[in-house]
Amino acid sequence: MPIRRASAVWEGGLRDGKGTMHLGSQAFEGPYSFPSRFEEGVGTNPEELIAAAHAGCFAMALSASLEREGFPPRRVAAEARVHLEMVEGKPTIRRIQLLAEAEVPGIPPEKFQEIAQAAKEGCPVSRALAGVGEISLEARLLP
């Protein structure tokens, strides 16, 4: 299996510094700062990149699981919301919400929920983030 890379450079102090994150594939390079991470400033942040990774991984895992069970999806859309909270005075990722919508012809709603839950638990990023207090899933089957 391939090894994926990303890098970051930070210049200056915590509050007045700035940084840039780079994906090894060169598909993304973006600035980040204290305001973009802990406030509502312009730029990206590590938690947003975790959310992107989790949403992308889960969408692929759900699609693969549905197909494997005989219900190839037309479309799977996922969003991850990473909650950064203060815990004992330290910023901590305590909760991740996965939201998904899927168009899957002919699947019973109960079977869809069962497959979605298993995909959430089996997705490699979910497994990597197992130390997060809670990873919830709200999966909606579209008509």
Side-chain angles (χ1 to χ4, degrees), residues 41-78:
V42 175
T44 191
N45 54 70
E47 293 74 25
E48 183 175 59
L49 296 175
I50 289 170
H54 205 175
C57 183
F58 175 73
M60 287 182 76
L62 179 54
S63 180
S65 297
L66 288 163
E67 187 173 44
R68 195 171 32 256
E69 292 285 331
F71 300 100
R74 284 192 190 124
R75 178 177 179 275
V76 174

Side-chain angles (χ1 to χ4, degrees), residues 11-63:
E11 298 172 339
L14 175 63
R15 291 190 183 271
D16 64 348
K18 62 183 178 183
T20 306
M21 290 189 264
H22 311 261
L23 299 187
S25 65
Q26 299 181 357
F28 172 81
E29 176 181 316
Y32 72 116
S33 64
F34 185 90
S36 74
R37 187 160 191 204
F38 299 109
E39 299 165 1
E40 294 297 327
V42 175
T44 191
N45 54 70
E47 293 74 25
E48 183 175 59
L49 296 175
I50 289 170
H54 205 175
C57 183
F58 175 73
M60 287 182 76
L62 179 54
S63 180

Side-chain angles (χ1 to χ4, degrees), residues 90-122:
K90 297 177 185 171
T92 304
I93 297 172
R94 290 284 303 250
R95 184 166 55 110
I96 299 173
Q97 293 171 280
L98 284 174
L99 308 168
E101 294 182 341
E103 294 175 33
V104 189
I107 191 169
E110 310 77 34
K111 184 69 173 172
F112 172 73
Q113 292 298 327
E114 173 190 319
I115 293 170
Q117 196 64 36
K120 177 195 76 131
E121 293 167 11

